[in-house]
mmCIF file of all heavy atoms in Angstrom:
data_model
loop_
_atom_site.group_PDB
_atom_site.id
_atom_site.type_symbol
_atom_site.label_atom_id
_atom_site.label_comp_id
_atom_site.label_asym_id
_atom_site.label_seq_id
_atom_site.Cartn_x
_atom_site.Cartn_y
_atom_site.Cartn_z
ATOM 1 N N ILE A 1 76.557 67.939 107.350
ATOM 2 C CA ILE A 1 77.778 68.166 106.590
ATOM 3 C C ILE A 1 78.199 66.845 105.963
ATOM 4 O O ILE A 1 78.170 65.803 106.627
ATOM 5 C CB ILE A 1 78.896 68.726 107.494
ATOM 6 C CG1 ILE A 1 78.504 70.126 107.996
ATOM 7 C CG2 ILE A 1 80.234 68.773 106.772
ATOM 8 C CD1 ILE A 1 79.503 70.735 108.965
ATOM 9 N N ASP A 2 78.571 66.862 104.684
ATOM 10 C CA ASP A 2 78.874 65.624 103.966
ATOM 11 C C ASP A 2 80.214 65.009 104.354
ATOM 12 O O ASP A 2 80.326 63.788 104.494
ATOM 13 C CB ASP A 2 78.859 65.875 102.450
ATOM 14 C CG ASP A 2 77.467 66.220 101.944
ATOM 15 O OD1 ASP A 2 76.482 65.718 102.534
ATOM 16 O OD2 ASP A 2 77.364 66.990 100.973
ATOM 17 N N LYS A 3 81.233 65.846 104.481
ATOM 18 C CA LYS A 3 82.578 65.325 104.731
ATOM 19 C C LYS A 3 83.287 66.187 105.772
ATOM 20 O O LYS A 3 83.110 67.407 105.804
ATOM 21 C CB LYS A 3 83.411 65.315 103.445
ATOM 22 C CG LYS A 3 82.875 64.402 102.353
ATOM 23 C CD LYS A 3 83.750 64.495 101.101
ATOM 24 C CE LYS A 3 83.219 63.598 99.989
ATOM 25 N NZ LYS A 3 84.067 63.678 98.765
ATOM 26 N N ILE A 4 84.099 65.530 106.593
ATOM 27 C CA ILE A 4 84.920 66.247 107.566
ATOM 28 C C ILE A 4 86.314 65.638 107.558
ATOM 29 O O ILE A 4 86.464 64.404 107.536
ATOM 30 C CB ILE A 4 84.323 66.165 108.984
ATOM 31 C CG1 ILE A 4 83.085 67.060 109.098
ATOM 32 C CG2 ILE A 4 85.349 66.565 110.038
ATOM 33 C CD1 ILE A 4 82.434 67.056 110.460
ATOM 34 N N ARG A 5 87.313 66.488 107.551
ATOM 35 C CA ARG A 5 88.698 66.030 107.707
ATOM 36 C C ARG A 5 89.175 66.445 109.102
ATOM 37 O O ARG A 5 89.095 67.614 109.484
ATOM 38 C CB ARG A 5 89.614 66.622 106.634
ATOM 39 C CG ARG A 5 91.106 66.405 106.939
ATOM 40 C CD ARG A 5 92.010 66.757 105.778
ATOM 41 N NE ARG A 5 91.957 65.734 104.735
ATOM 42 C CZ ARG A 5 92.795 65.679 103.699
ATOM 43 N NH1 ARG A 5 93.746 66.606 103.568
ATOM 44 N NH2 ARG A 5 92.684 64.732 102.798
ATOM 45 N N ILE A 6 89.669 65.472 109.846
ATOM 46 C CA ILE A 6 90.241 65.717 111.167
ATOM 47 C C ILE A 6 91.753 65.752 111.005
ATOM 48 O O ILE A 6 92.351 64.791 110.522
ATOM 49 C CB ILE A 6 89.846 64.605 112.156
ATOM 50 C CG1 ILE A 6 88.319 64.498 112.245
ATOM 51 C CG2 ILE A 6 90.455 64.853 113.531
ATOM 52 C CD1 ILE A 6 87.841 63.238 112.928
ATOM 53 N N VAL A 7 92.375 66.872 111.386
ATOM 54 C CA VAL A 7 93.831 66.993 111.268
ATOM 55 C C VAL A 7 94.443 67.037 112.659
ATOM 56 O O VAL A 7 93.822 67.524 113.612
ATOM 57 C CB VAL A 7 94.242 68.238 110.457
ATOM 58 C CG1 VAL A 7 93.745 68.130 109.028
ATOM 59 C CG2 VAL A 7 93.703 69.509 111.100
ATOM 60 N N PHE A 8 95.644 66.526 112.789
ATOM 61 C CA PHE A 8 96.338 66.478 114.068
ATOM 62 C C PHE A 8 97.332 67.634 114.147
ATOM 63 O O PHE A 8 98.225 67.745 113.308
ATOM 64 C CB PHE A 8 97.062 65.143 114.233
ATOM 65 C CG PHE A 8 96.152 63.956 114.050
ATOM 66 C CD1 PHE A 8 96.285 63.119 112.956
ATOM 67 C CD2 PHE A 8 95.143 63.698 114.969
ATOM 68 C CE1 PHE A 8 95.441 62.029 112.779
ATOM 69 C CE2 PHE A 8 94.295 62.612 114.810
ATOM 70 C CZ PHE A 8 94.445 61.779 113.720
ATOM 71 N N ILE A 9 97.148 68.486 115.147
ATOM 72 C CA ILE A 9 98.008 69.660 115.313
ATOM 73 C C ILE A 9 98.593 69.629 116.723
ATOM 74 O O ILE A 9 97.854 69.748 117.707
ATOM 75 C CB ILE A 9 97.213 70.965 115.090
ATOM 76 C CG1 ILE A 9 96.621 70.989 113.673
ATOM 77 C CG2 ILE A 9 98.099 72.178 115.328
ATOM 78 C CD1 ILE A 9 95.720 72.176 113.409
ATOM 79 N N GLY A 10 99.895 69.461 116.823
ATOM 80 C CA GLY A 10 100.542 69.373 118.123
ATOM 81 C C GLY A 10 101.051 70.695 118.651
ATOM 82 O O GLY A 10 101.363 70.819 119.832
ATOM 83 N N ASP A 11 101.108 71.723 117.803
ATOM 84 C CA ASP A 11 101.654 73.023 118.185
ATOM 85 C C ASP A 11 100.534 74.061 118.218
ATOM 86 O O ASP A 11 99.899 74.325 117.189
ATOM 87 C CB ASP A 11 102.730 73.441 117.176
ATOM 88 C CG ASP A 11 103.306 74.822 117.470
ATOM 89 O OD1 ASP A 11 103.059 75.335 118.571
ATOM 90 O OD2 ASP A 11 104.000 75.370 116.593
ATOM 91 N N PRO A 12 100.266 74.661 119.383
ATOM 92 C CA PRO A 12 99.187 75.652 119.475
ATOM 93 C C PRO A 12 99.335 76.794 118.469
ATOM 94 O O PRO A 12 98.341 77.254 117.905
ATOM 95 C CB PRO A 12 99.295 76.163 120.920
ATOM 96 C CG PRO A 12 99.939 75.045 121.667
ATOM 97 C CD PRO A 12 100.892 74.404 120.696
ATOM 98 N N GLN A 13 100.582 77.250 118.243
ATOM 99 C CA GLN A 13 100.779 78.359 117.308
ATOM 100 C C GLN A 13 100.395 77.962 115.882
ATOM 101 O O GLN A 13 99.839 78.756 115.126
ATOM 102 C CB GLN A 13 102.240 78.826 117.353
ATOM 103 C CG GLN A 13 102.636 79.449 118.687
ATOM 104 C CD GLN A 13 101.703 80.576 119.086
ATOM 105 O OE1 GLN A 13 101.438 81.492 118.306
ATOM 106 N NE2 GLN A 13 101.175 80.510 120.304
ATOM 107 N N ALA A 14 100.681 76.708 115.531
ATOM 108 C CA ALA A 14 100.268 76.217 114.215
ATOM 109 C C ALA A 14 98.749 76.162 114.133
ATOM 110 O O ALA A 14 98.156 76.466 113.093
ATOM 111 C CB ALA A 14 100.862 74.836 113.962
ATOM 112 N N GLY A 15 98.110 75.797 115.247
ATOM 113 C CA GLY A 15 96.649 75.773 115.269
ATOM 114 C C GLY A 15 96.053 77.147 115.058
ATOM 115 O O GLY A 15 95.095 77.328 114.297
ATOM 116 N N VAL A 16 96.637 78.135 115.712
ATOM 117 C CA VAL A 16 96.165 79.520 115.553
ATOM 118 C C VAL A 16 96.336 79.977 114.109
ATOM 119 O O VAL A 16 95.430 80.573 113.511
ATOM 120 C CB VAL A 16 96.923 80.457 116.508
ATOM 121 C CG1 VAL A 16 96.616 81.921 116.185
ATOM 122 C CG2 VAL A 16 96.559 80.160 117.957
ATOM 123 N N ALA A 17 97.497 79.691 113.528
ATOM 124 C CA ALA A 17 97.773 80.102 112.151
ATOM 125 C C ALA A 17 96.787 79.462 111.179
ATOM 126 O O ALA A 17 96.298 80.113 110.247
ATOM 127 C CB ALA A 17 99.208 79.729 111.778
ATOM 128 N N GLN A 18 96.481 78.174 111.412
ATOM 129 C CA GLN A 18 95.548 77.463 110.531
ATOM 130 C C GLN A 18 94.132 78.035 110.643
ATOM 131 O O GLN A 18 93.406 78.134 109.650
ATOM 132 C CB GLN A 18 95.535 75.977 110.882
ATOM 133 C CG GLN A 18 96.850 75.260 110.628
ATOM 134 C CD GLN A 18 96.959 74.763 109.197
ATOM 135 O OE1 GLN A 18 96.699 75.496 108.239
ATOM 136 N NE2 GLN A 18 97.354 73.518 109.058
ATOM 137 N N LEU A 19 93.743 78.419 111.853
ATOM 138 C CA LEU A 19 92.417 79.025 112.034
ATOM 139 C C LEU A 19 92.342 80.388 111.339
ATOM 140 O O LEU A 19 91.350 80.701 110.668
ATOM 141 C CB LEU A 19 92.115 79.186 113.527
ATOM 142 C CG LEU A 19 91.743 77.912 114.283
ATOM 143 C CD1 LEU A 19 91.921 78.102 115.784
ATOM 144 C CD2 LEU A 19 90.304 77.506 113.982
ATOM 145 N N LEU A 20 93.392 81.193 111.492
ATOM 146 C CA LEU A 20 93.393 82.529 110.883
ATOM 147 C C LEU A 20 93.420 82.458 109.364
ATOM 148 O O LEU A 20 92.833 83.304 108.680
ATOM 149 C CB LEU A 20 94.596 83.332 111.393
ATOM 150 C CG LEU A 20 94.519 83.792 112.856
ATOM 151 C CD1 LEU A 20 95.834 84.413 113.300
ATOM 152 C CD2 LEU A 20 93.373 84.791 113.037
ATOM 153 N N SER A 21 94.089 81.443 108.830
ATOM 154 C CA SER A 21 94.169 81.310 107.374
ATOM 155 C C SER A 21 92.908 80.707 106.777
ATOM 156 O O SER A 21 92.689 80.772 105.569
ATOM 157 C CB SER A 21 95.368 80.427 107.003
ATOM 158 O OG SER A 21 95.143 79.079 107.414
ATOM 159 N N GLY A 22 92.070 80.115 107.617
ATOM 160 C CA GLY A 22 90.856 79.474 107.115
ATOM 161 C C GLY A 22 91.058 78.048 106.674
ATOM 162 O O GLY A 22 90.129 77.413 106.166
ATOM 163 N N ASN A 23 92.252 77.499 106.882
ATOM 164 C CA ASN A 23 92.501 76.096 106.509
ATOM 165 C C ASN A 23 91.897 75.127 107.514
ATOM 166 O O ASN A 23 91.615 73.981 107.187
ATOM 167 C CB ASN A 23 94.013 75.847 106.399
ATOM 168 C CG ASN A 23 94.625 76.553 105.207
ATOM 169 O OD1 ASN A 23 93.989 76.709 104.164
ATOM 170 N ND2 ASN A 23 95.860 77.015 105.357
ATOM 171 N N VAL A 24 91.729 75.601 108.747
ATOM 172 C CA VAL A 24 91.062 74.821 109.794
ATOM 173 C C VAL A 24 89.848 75.614 110.247
ATOM 174 O O VAL A 24 89.917 76.837 110.396
ATOM 175 C CB VAL A 24 92.021 74.565 110.981
ATOM 176 C CG1 VAL A 24 91.255 74.087 112.213
ATOM 177 C CG2 VAL A 24 93.071 73.528 110.603
ATOM 178 N N HIS A 25 88.738 74.921 110.444
ATOM 179 C CA HIS A 25 87.484 75.614 110.733
ATOM 180 C C HIS A 25 87.011 75.445 112.172
ATOM 181 O O HIS A 25 86.121 76.159 112.626
ATOM 182 C CB HIS A 25 86.391 75.125 109.775
ATOM 183 C CG HIS A 25 86.806 75.181 108.345
ATOM 184 N ND1 HIS A 25 86.764 74.095 107.496
ATOM 185 C CD2 HIS A 25 87.333 76.210 107.609
ATOM 186 C CE1 HIS A 25 87.215 74.434 106.304
ATOM 187 N NE2 HIS A 25 87.565 75.713 106.346
ATOM 188 N N PHE A 26 87.600 74.484 112.901
ATOM 189 C CA PHE A 26 87.232 74.265 114.297
ATOM 190 C C PHE A 26 88.421 73.652 115.022
ATOM 191 O O PHE A 26 89.108 72.776 114.484
ATOM 192 C CB PHE A 26 86.025 73.320 114.400
ATOM 193 C CG PHE A 26 85.655 72.954 115.825
ATOM 194 C CD1 PHE A 26 84.932 73.840 116.598
ATOM 195 C CD2 PHE A 26 86.044 71.740 116.376
ATOM 196 C CE1 PHE A 26 84.602 73.523 117.918
ATOM 197 C CE2 PHE A 26 85.708 71.404 117.681
ATOM 198 C CZ PHE A 26 84.986 72.300 118.456
ATOM 199 N N SER A 27 88.700 74.121 116.217
ATOM 200 C CA SER A 27 89.743 73.495 117.048
ATOM 201 C C SER A 27 89.095 73.033 118.337
ATOM 202 O O SER A 27 88.370 73.780 118.998
ATOM 203 C CB SER A 27 90.877 74.484 117.344
ATOM 204 O OG SER A 27 90.446 75.494 118.232
ATOM 205 N N ASP A 28 89.355 71.790 118.691
ATOM 206 C CA ASP A 28 88.750 71.212 119.887
ATOM 207 C C ASP A 28 89.574 71.558 121.126
ATOM 208 O O ASP A 28 90.582 72.259 121.052
ATOM 209 C CB ASP A 28 88.642 69.690 119.707
ATOM 210 C CG ASP A 28 87.592 69.074 120.619
ATOM 211 O OD1 ASP A 28 86.886 69.836 121.302
ATOM 212 O OD2 ASP A 28 87.477 67.835 120.635
ATOM 213 N N SER A 29 89.146 71.041 122.274
ATOM 214 C CA SER A 29 89.799 71.336 123.550
ATOM 215 C C SER A 29 91.289 71.021 123.506
ATOM 216 O O SER A 29 91.713 70.033 122.914
ATOM 217 C CB SER A 29 89.145 70.511 124.665
ATOM 218 O OG SER A 29 87.755 70.716 124.697
ATOM 219 N N PHE A 30 92.072 71.889 124.168
ATOM 220 C CA PHE A 30 93.505 71.692 124.386
ATOM 221 C C PHE A 30 94.345 71.791 123.110
ATOM 222 O O PHE A 30 95.490 71.371 123.089
ATOM 223 C CB PHE A 30 93.773 70.371 125.108
ATOM 224 C CG PHE A 30 92.986 70.229 126.381
ATOM 225 C CD1 PHE A 30 92.015 69.258 126.513
ATOM 226 C CD2 PHE A 30 93.199 71.103 127.431
ATOM 227 C CE1 PHE A 30 91.269 69.146 127.686
ATOM 228 C CE2 PHE A 30 92.472 70.998 128.607
ATOM 229 C CZ PHE A 30 91.505 70.020 128.738
ATOM 230 N N VAL A 31 93.771 72.340 122.027
ATOM 231 C CA VAL A 31 94.578 72.653 120.848
ATOM 232 C C VAL A 31 95.198 74.029 121.039
ATOM 233 O O VAL A 31 96.394 74.225 120.852
ATOM 234 C CB VAL A 31 93.745 72.599 119.555
ATOM 235 C CG1 VAL A 31 94.588 73.054 118.368
ATOM 236 C CG2 VAL A 31 93.215 71.193 119.319
ATOM 237 N N ILE A 32 94.370 74.995 121.420
ATOM 238 C CA ILE A 32 94.870 76.330 121.719
ATOM 239 C C ILE A 32 94.736 76.583 123.221
ATOM 240 O O ILE A 32 93.854 76.029 123.879
ATOM 241 C CB ILE A 32 94.130 77.416 120.917
ATOM 242 C CG1 ILE A 32 92.631 77.404 121.234
ATOM 243 C CG2 ILE A 32 94.354 77.220 119.426
ATOM 244 C CD1 ILE A 32 91.854 78.537 120.585
ATOM 245 N N ASN A 33 95.607 77.421 123.770
ATOM 246 C CA ASN A 33 95.548 77.720 125.195
ATOM 247 C C ASN A 33 94.784 79.028 125.430
ATOM 248 O O ASN A 33 94.432 79.728 124.472
ATOM 249 C CB ASN A 33 96.965 77.774 125.784
ATOM 250 C CG ASN A 33 97.822 78.839 125.121
ATOM 251 O OD1 ASN A 33 97.370 79.955 124.864
ATOM 252 N ND2 ASN A 33 99.076 78.501 124.833
#
């Protein structure tokens, strides 16, 4: 993969929303419960 953007998400619900919308493609440990 040529480029990766790492974003900081402190709220699990925001992480879920970003995954469902397709704006985030992977969430690492302890982002979602």
Side-chain angles (χ1 to χ4, degrees):
I1 294 176
D2 293 329
K3 297 178 181 180
I4 287 180
R5 168 170 285 191
I6 303 166
V7 296
F8 306 111
I9 300 175
D11 177 13
Q13 294 306 309
V16 170
Q18 295 274 48
L19 285 161
L20 289 173
S21 68
N23 291 327
V24 165
H25 309 125
F26 175 79
S27 70
D28 201 6
S29 306
F30 307 115
V31 175
I32 60 174
N33 60 42

